Amino acid sequence: MPKVDLGRLERERRITVHEDVAPDDPMWEGSEIHLLGPLEARLEAQKVGADVIVRGQLRGEVGLECRRCLKDVTLEFDESVSFLYRAGLEPAEAAAEEVDPLPARARELDLGEPIREHLLLSVPKYVVCCEACRGLCPRCGTDLNVEECRCEATEFDDRWAPLRKLKED
């Protein structure tokens, strides 16, 4: 889990954090994220007055299911991130200002939660394997990308009969 040593940051004013977060890291528990390999976190932390700014790149691959046919889809993730930690704020105040609170007298700054949050918000919930994906037949479940189903297309829902009659008149 990426962390910033605040003592070292105070002395050097700028440090780099290069760490790979494993797909089975506890920070992913309870999320719907399925990493296919380690998440590369290439970050730089900088001291700005009493605040800390963390900027950099997150790279990795996420496994998702196609929304139409349920096949596995690999989504490459390469995002720029920027986190601002402000000193002297309570969590509610920090949330209102859309920053993270810098813990008083902390020795380390844990970047796990902001990285997790960024990934959860950046990865699309639904993807398709290709734009031409025809999906699954809603009646028999046949993958329409592979074969045609043998369902009868003439099945009608009788509840729509009065509207169908209006259309024909």
Side-chain angles (χ1 to χ4, degrees):
M1 189 169 317
K3 295 183 180 186
V4 173
D5 181 343
L6 292 175
R8 182 174 160 220
L9 182 63
E10 187 67 39
R11 289 186 306 274
E12 298 178 19
R13 308 296 288 170
R14 184 183 302 236
I15 60 174
T16 57
V17 177
H18 290 214
E19 189 170 332
D20 293 342
V21 182
D24 59 350
D25 191 287
M27 75 186 275
W28 306 121
E29 287 180 16
S31 72
E32 295 179 12
I33 293 177
H34 174 67
L35 288 173
L36 300 178
L39 176 72
E40 298 174 31
R42 304 296 179 248
L43 306 168
E44 181 179 84
Q46 181 178 356
K47 187 83 170 155
V48 179
D51 302 338
V52 174
I53 296 176
V54 180
R55 293 186 184 117
Q57 289 291 124
L58 299 176
R59 290 186 186 100
E61 289 184 337
V62 179
L64 302 165
E65 276 187 345
C66 175
R67 182 177 190 166
R68 297 177 189 163
C69 69
L70 304 179
K71 288 184 181 171
D72 291 334
V73 176
T74 299
L75 179 70
E76 289 189 19
F77 183 84
D78 188 0
E79 289 278 324
S80 295
V81 293
S82 181
F83 308 121
L84 174 61
Y85 290 88
R86 183 150 296 149
L89 292 180
E90 295 296 321
E93 294 172 309
E97 292 186 27
E98 297 181 3
V99 298
D100 293 302
L102 185 61
R105 294 184 295 272
R107 295 180 183 191
E108 295 185 314
L109 187 58
D110 185 0
L111 302 175
E113 190 57 34
I115 289 173
R116 173 189 158 102
E117 183 178 301
H118 185 84
L119 199 58
L120 284 168
L121 294 173
S122 297
V123 172
K125 187 165 179 91
Y126 303 109
V127 296
V128 291
C129 59
C130 66
E131 285 300 316
C133 179
R134 295 177 55 209
L136 303 175
C137 173
R139 292 185 190 95
C140 68
T142 299
D143 186 348
L144 300 175
N145 297 311
V146 177
E147 62 181 292
E148 293 295 322
C149 69
R150 292 175 177 74
C151 294
E152 288 188 32
T154 58
E155 294 179 26
F156 292 107
D157 187 344
D158 291 334
R159 294 176 292 179
W160 295 102
L163 288 175
R164 199 171 295 111
K165 185 177 179 190
L166 283 173
K167 182 180 177 185
E168 292 172 0
D169 291 341

